[in-house]
Amino acid sequence: MRKNFGAKPLSYPQPVFIIATYDEDGTPDAMNAAWGGISEMNEISLCLSAGHKTVKNILKRKAFTISMADVEHVIACDYVGLVSGNRVTDKFAKAGFHATKSEFVDAPLIEELAIAIECKLKDYNADTCILRGEIVNVCVDERVLDENGKVDVTKVAPIIFDPFNNHYLRIGEKVGNAFSDGKALK
């Protein structure tokens, strides 16, 4: 037996992306977004309504970064999704975030969040709210690398959004080997 929830955007996993931009005077801004993901080899797509300060900044600067929210900063990451940059001009700083300018795009990196995707705007459709960015770099803070230079997910402690219950969940338990375990059925 199944329970029907109707046509809603409910799925697992939903990332907790923190999108960072600069506004017209160079002040960093950030927002929390869960509706997005990789859509091509070097492209990411997000569903963002035009009224967001972040969208306005992206359209002006043609660039943005996307950081992965983590367990340590869950309160700050949730906060930047609760308040609007249209009304709270210092929400980036109020969240306790510190910015470093990306080497690749005209957007800030959030020092506290270890993994970031640096993007140039490809296009934005205000009718569908679909924003696409060209991925020009992915950077990872060395503090979350293991001794072999690989990302250690337990050090990153990324979180996902649970849309069924409005919870944040920690990612990290290994359950298998991609492109390998399925060979047992060949």
Side-chain angles (χ1 to χ4, degrees), residues 1 26 31 44 53 92 110-111 127 133 144 146 165 170 176:
M1 180 118 218
M31 74 171 283
I44 194 160
K53 174 74 171 167
F92 192 95
I110 301 172
E111 292 178 16
D127 293 330
V144 299
D146 66 15
N165 302 293
R170 179 186 196 131

Side-chain angles (χ1 to χ4, degrees), residues 92-105:
F92 192 95
K94 195 167 185 178
F97 289 149
H98 299 88
T100 302
K101 178 151 180 16
S102 164
E103 295 178 42
F104 297 91
V105 298

Side-chain angles (χ1 to χ4, degrees), residues 15-19 30-34 48 77-78 80-82 91 168:
V16 181
F17 288 149
I18 307 302
I19 304 161
M31 74 171 283
N32 179 320
L48 303 174
C77 291
D78 190 54
V80 298
L82 291 173
K91 78 176 194 174
Y168 293 118

Side-chain angles (χ1 to χ4, degrees), residues 86-158:
N86 291 317
R87 292 189 238 4
V88 180
T89 57
D90 64 345
K91 78 176 194 174
F92 192 95
K94 195 167 185 178
F97 289 149
H98 299 88
T100 302
K101 178 151 180 16
S102 164
E103 295 178 42
F104 297 91
V105 298
D106 186 18
L109 294 167
I110 301 172
E111 292 178 16
E112 289 73 17
L113 302 177
I115 299 177
I117 303 170
E118 298 164 89
C119 302
K120 291 181 182 176
L121 175 66
K122 285 182 94 170
D123 54 44
Y124 179 65
N125 183 323
D127 293 330
T128 63
C129 299
I130 300 299
L131 184 142
R132 295 185 314 145
E134 174 190 353
I135 299 169
V136 297
N137 187 49
V138 175
C139 62
V140 179
D141 192 300
E142 291 179 358
R143 73 180 186 268
V144 299
L145 301 179
D146 66 15
E147 60 280 349
N148 298 315
K150 293 187 176 187
V151 174
D152 181 339
V153 71
T154 61
K155 290 180 182 178
V156 177

Side-chain angles (χ1 to χ4, degrees), residues 30-44:
M31 74 171 283
N32 179 320
W35 293 357
I38 302 300
S39 48
E40 292 286 341
M41 193 63 160
N42 68 340
E43 178 184 281
I44 194 160

